[in-house]
Amino acid sequence: MNYALIENGQVVNLIWLHPDNAADFPGAVPCGDVPVQMGDEYDGERFFRDGQQVLTQWENMSNHMAELDEALLELQYQELIGGFEE
């Protein structure tokens, strides 16, 4: 499993550990599918890069799909009320 080594709230290294060995590295935090990089910040729960939370690919895709759904709904609404002229 992927782990981030944290010092003073910052990712200083990335390692792969078997969960049974994680106790050997007190600063190791499991990061799972989050694409953490050295230099990212860790607030005790989430990772951040340049002030933005680092999300998994699935979370990014889900957010993008929600934005597309919202835009499509707005487009359908505008077409229904005749808001768009061709």
Side-chain angles (χ1 to χ4, degrees):
M1 173 182 265
N2 292 322
Y3 283 78
L5 292 179
I6 308 297
E7 289 182 8
N8 299 319
Q10 188 170 24
V11 177
V12 294
N13 208 345
L14 301 168
I15 59 175
W16 189 92
L17 288 173
H18 189 281
D20 293 342
N21 296 343
D24 295 336
F25 297 87
V29 174
C31 48
D33 293 333
V34 180
V36 177
Q37 297 178 0
M38 289 174 42
D40 288 349
E41 296 176 5
Y42 183 67
D43 71 356
E45 293 181 21
R46 297 173 306 258
F47 294 95
F48 292 87
R49 184 177 306 133
D50 300 325
Q52 299 289 325
Q53 183 177 351
V54 181
L55 302 175
T56 65
Q57 185 176 8
W58 175 256
E59 291 169 325
N60 278 325
M61 289 183 349
S62 293
N63 289 346
H64 188 64
M65 289 298 294
E67 291 170 4
L68 290 173
D69 285 344
E70 193 173 310
L72 179 59
L73 186 60
E74 177 64 23
L75 178 63
Q76 290 172 332
Y77 174 74
Q78 291 297 329
E79 286 178 350
L80 182 67
I81 64 169
F84 288 126
E85 296 180 19
E86 295 185 31

